[in-house]
Each structure stands twice: as structure tokens, then as C-alpha cells.
Amino acid sequence: MLYADIIVDISHENLDKTYQYRIPDSLQAEVGIGTPVYISFGNGNRRRQGYVVGLSEQPKIEEARIKEIDEVIPKGVVIESRMIALAYWMKQNFGGTMNDALRTVLSVKKSVRPMEHKRIVLAVSREKAEELLKEYAKKHYVAKARLIKELLEYQPIPREFVLGKLNVSPASLRGLEQQGIISTIVEEEYRKTTYTGETTKKQVILNAEQQNAVDVICREYEEGKRNTYLIHGVTGSGKTEVYLNVIEQMIAQKKQVIVLIPEIALTYQTVRRFSERFGERVAFLHSKLSQGERYDQYRRAKDGDIDIMIGPRSALFTPFQNLGCIVIDEEHENSYKSDVTPKYHARETAVELARMTNSCVILGSATPSLEAYQKALDGKYRLLRLTSRAKNAKLPDVEIVDLKEELKAKNRSMFSRRLAEEIEKRLENQEQIMLFLNRRGYSGSLSCRSCGKPVMCPHCSVALNLHSDQTIHCHYCGYHIPVLKECPTCGSPYLAAFGTGTQKVEEAVKKLFPNARVLRMDADTTKEKESYEKILSSFANEEADILVGTQMIVKGHDFPKVTLVGILAADLSLNVADYRASERTFQLLAQAAGRAGRAEREGKVIIQTYQPEHYSVQTAATENYTAFFEQETAYRRLMKYPPKAHILAVLCVGKDEQKTEQFCRKLADRAKQFVKEKSGEYMAVIGPAKATIAKTNDFYRNVLYIKAENYDILTELASCLENYRETEKNVILQLDFNPMGNY
Ligand code: ADP
Ligand code: ZN
Ligand code: ZN
């Protein structure tokens, strides 16, 4: 390696502006990705600070014009260096360019003005000011006199007050300042996202399992062991209390903590819970923050103004000086995987960041991802179990209702007879009800209304998806046929794509139970900034009897008065064309069921489904994770799906249909050749095929999947394919490792 790509000004928006410098022999051992260096920059050869973000053996410009790096800045590891090294790791492990990765990890100040706070003070002595006051009064400089009089009484005065209440014109103010009579103090203010309510030190006494989890984590930390822990705790088992207690001990040791939670769960309740414990030392990130607010939270972290950052996956890149621990709550959530390049997974990235910073990682879930649980079984993560509900509340009683029977009994409403009965009962007892509709499958698969079976791909064990041209497609292998006239399993002519919206559910509830007060929560009703919180707190305050919603309502909320949860169509998430469909269904059902009966009153859950015998439904009903895990693992092993193997999705997007297809085929050929070279390793190339959405905005999309048991080999192949990026300027290449869903 001879040359280094260097970014000169990290606070610059233009992260892709790198400059090539030669690495002198004497520094070759020291310079790597992320190394801070001094360089002579520009025509004037001004000494500037920069960071190495790339290494190469080829000069990009005329060799003679390349300058040498002056020296390595010897300050030890600074945060920027670490972030750049992390960006490199992300690029290597999740694809994309270094620039994409840098943009993700560096909290670069965008062109937003900092929020400034300007205040006016006297720049002359009191005596001089009093003299001036007399003079202005004599000359009838009313406004100026008013200002000086105010300043003699009390200073500094906010500039707005001077311009507003005191009615001094900006011109006079400038005049006074130029004459050296007053001056302006400018302070940059953080845009804080801190909770401002009360803080109470209400401590719960941990039960034995909770205490054990806290003790294990903290003891090992003190002993210098750094682990990734997976807390597998049933719904309501008090995982959050465990996090809070570990965090408390971290902070006592002057360590800082990042807490990731799924965006959707980031509500008033979470904010309040953490803030009650830790007060102003907590900051929050969420997608509705402005660019400036977000930047300021990062700055507060860097300046040591906070100890805890809570937020969705991007909070991982909080520039703490002294990180001790990263918590990922609801570790199994899809939102931890980035949907933009680099398509990193926050879990794996957190583990790498922890390694770099000598921190530990705590993952928590009632329904761990197969990936995490497998690692725990393999001893890569340490498993800690919470097997009972914290408040000694019982797990709810779950009843599975077969919708096929309802159809036979001529009940065509969305509510089975049992569910309607139970709703009636709760309304009488003034208890609350949650009705849950998983809409993910909305525009998805075709299934039989008589036997409930989805129409499957004969080659891939995934459901076929209905396209608008009345053909059904497999998104893994490209298999497609015209839409069927009858069910291949039972011959019934009632094949239909699912599609009931929450709005329809709401209408149906109102019709059937005209006296019930109903709230609805879905993407439509939560467009506005505070609408989540409004709906949730209104429900918590018992201003409604029934909350109807999508998966949004199942995440981590705690409503003690809810004694009935109805899941209207459990199959919706089973029938999506995705190898994770069963896992996703299990998670949703178990989590939704876990909302019921979280306090004294016992809870009941009714799962309506066309596939009552399906293992996802059966195991979720009893929250039997291990039974689910075993069944699902067998399927993944057989089909070589993660975590039993890894998948690399290669997506090619281009305006020209032929070129896009050709390019994808070229990559497929290269991949096939690569697979030959690696004989002895399990690898398979699937495709190329048209993507699910074969065309968007006139861009054609082709996709290729490569499966391999060895992740490193897959990243090696990815680097090979990356080299083709430059060869076809008309097609965009996107890599996605272990994708969620499909293309
Ligand atoms: P989870 O994060 O596993 O869903 P929470 O931490 O939210 O569980 O706990 C569920 C409820 O039980 C909360 O209201 C919490 O305050 C309460 N709780 C947790 N641990 C205890 C405990 N040891 N004693 C009493 N209540 C507890
Ligand atoms: Zn059928
Ligand atoms: Zn297929």
C-alpha cells in the first residue's frame, strides 16, 4: 500500500472529496483506515488535519503531483478515527462504497445554522454608561436611552427583547456596537431532546432472574470480560428493568451507554421511563428530529453533556468518548437492518463497535431472531433467561379460532363468534381491548379462502406473489405462472389476495359495537409529529375501549387495563414471499399476545387464522420459543437459509431493460465462476431473475441471490462483484447481505 485517500475537513458535507497522498516508508506501518494525519494542503501548502479513509497502490493523478503525508497525529484513538474504521468494516461486511459508509457513521454538520442565543451587554463602565444615558435623554434618542437604562439595571439582555420590547432598531444596535458601547454575546445552544418532566427514583426490587442477569453482566464487565449477552425474557418479564440497572452501574463507572430501540417503540412511555431514572443525562434520537436537532444530540454526546443516547439504529453512531455498553432492545426487529446502502445490521455492527471500544453488548427479546439465538446456543453470545412475568402476572390464555369454520358457519364478518363474544364481555366489564391486524401481507400472496393454504413456489418453499398483470411470481427463483383458477391443494375456486385494512376493521367494530369508543393507530393516523403519543396516551388514560392497529401497537407498550387482544388474521404475515415469514409471524403473534393481562387482571388472546395447525401459530400461542426455534431451524437448514447459511442479494437497477438484465447476467456468470473456484465450500447462485417489483419509476430491477455457508467467502465475492460497478455506468449495483424480505 503506497497511497492514502484522505478527507480533509470532516465537518464538511462533501465527504466524497478525498485527496490522495503518498505514505512515506517510515509511516507505512502506522497508517491505516481512520488514522489522523497532518498534511500540506492546497497551493499554499497549509498544514491541515485529515483522516485516511482509503488505501491503494495506484496513483489516481500524475505521480509527481502527489504530496506526502507529513506525520501521523499522535493523540491516540480519536472518535473520528474509530468511526472511520467502523465505516470501513461496514463497507466490507455489508457492501456499498466507503463514501456511503462514511455518510452513515459520521455525524456531519449539514448546512443548518446552529441555534444561536444572542445577548447584549454593556461594553463600557457604569459611569460611562450613566453619562451616555444623560446625553441620549437630552438628544431625545429615546430607544437608545431605554436600552442603556435597562442594561444599567440588569444585563445581559436577550437580543430579541432589545429589538422587541425595547423597540431598538437593528441599525441603532449595530451603531452602538460599532462605537464600542455595547457588545453581543453569542452562545450556541443545543437543541435538546431531553424529557422535562419530573424524575422519580422509584426503584423496583428485581426478582431473582433479573438480579442474576444484572449481576452476571456487571461482574463480567468488572472482571474485564467483554461479552454479547442475549436476554431472552418472556413478554413482560422485566427486561427493561435489567437494562436500567446495568446502565446505572455503567454510569457510576463514568461509562456511557447507547440504547437502541425500534423506532416504533420510541414513545413517550420509553422516554419517560429512562428519564425518570436518569434525568437530563439522557437524550433521544428519532426520525422526526430535524437535521439540526440530530446533530446537536451527537454534539452533546461528544461534549460529555449526556450519558445515555436512546434511539433507533442510527443512534449506534453516537460519538461517545467512553462507551461502556450498547443495549439493543427487541433485537429481532426488522428496523435494525438498514434499508439504504450500506445495508448494515445494527446487531452485528454493535458487536463490532463494542469490540473496537472494549464495551459489552446486551440484546433483549421475548422472541429472539434465529440468528441471535443460534449464536447464543453456539456460545458466541451469552444467554440469560427471564422465564416469568415480573409482576407475577400469568401469561395470557390463548385461544386459536379456525376461520375456515367461521366461513362454513356462514359468518363472513372479520370477527369470529368467539372474538365478538369476548369483546362484548370486556366492554361490559369496562376493560380494554386491542385488535391487531397485520397488514404486511396486504398486497402480497394469493391464498385459498377454503383451506387457507397459500399458493407456493414448487422450487423454493415460499409463497407466490400476485402481480398486477394477474400472474403469480416467486421472488427467489423467478418462477411465474398465470394466476390459478383453483386452489392446488383443495380445488376450491375461492382464491384471493388478502386485503383488509385497519380502517375497515374500525368501521366494522363501530357497526357491531356502536357504544364502544374506538381508536385507530396505523400509518395513516400517525403521520403527524406527536400522533403516536397522543393515541397511546389517550388509550392509556382509558379514553377509549378498543385500540385497532397494525404491528405498531404490539411493540413493547404496557397497558395494564388491556385484558383482551384479538389478532384478526394471523395468516397475513405467513403468506408473504419471504423465507422469514414464519419467524415474523411467530414474533408478531407472541408479542401481540404478550400485550394482554400485564397487570393483576388475567388476559385473554384470540388468534383468528386459516392455518390453526401451523407451527408458528401453535408455538406463539404458548410463547414456546424453543419449540418454534427447533422447527424453524430445521427448515432453514434444509433450505440453506440464514442463519444456517448466508444470502447475498445483488440488485441491479437501470433505465435500460436490456442493459440491466445483461449486467445482472454478467454478475451471475462471475458469481458462478467464483463458486467453481471455491469448490468444497457450499455455495449456490440463484437467478438472475426479475425483482418482485420488476420496474419502478421506469427503472428495471433484476436480482441475483447467492447463498454460502461462509460469510467471509460471501464478502470476498461481493468485493469481486464491486469491481464491475464501474464497468456499467447505466446500471446501479446494490448489495444486501442477509436481506430482510426480498427484492
Ligand atoms: P419487558 O421489557 O420485558 O417487556 P418491562 O421491563 O417493561 O418488561 O416490565 C414489565 C412491567 O413490569 C413494567 O411495568 C415494570 O415496571 C414491571 N416490573 C419489572 N420488573 C419488576 C419487578 N422486579 N418488580 C415489580 N415490577 C416489575
Ligand atoms: Zn384450498
Ligand atoms: Zn421459486
Side-chain angles (χ1 to χ4, degrees), residues 652-707:
C652 302
V653 183
K655 264 233 149 85
D656 183 320
E657 184 171 16
Q658 258 194 341
K659 273 188 188 154
T660 311
E661 213 183 291
Q662 266 167 16
F663 184 60
C664 198
R665 210 172 320 122
K666 193 160 83 179
L667 296 181
D669 291 343
R670 179 67 189 92
K672 281 172 189 156
Q673 187 198 329
F674 183 93
V675 169
K676 257 189 219 137
E677 289 161 14
K678 298 284 175 191
S679 61
E681 285 285 341
Y682 167 78
M683 285 189 92
V685 179
I686 303 153
K690 282 194 185 351
T692 308
I693 307 169
K695 184 171 148 184
T696 50
N697 297 325
D698 292 326
F699 277 88
Y700 292 88
R701 295 152 50 92
N702 287 69
V703 66
L704 169 71
Y705 291 96
I706 300 128
K707 291 191 212 173

Side-chain angles (χ1 to χ4, degrees), residues 447-453 487-492 494-495:
S447 48
C448 172
R449 298 300 293 253
S450 301
C451 75
K453 292 261 161 40
C487 169
T489 313
C490 76
S492 154
Y494 298 112
L495 284 177

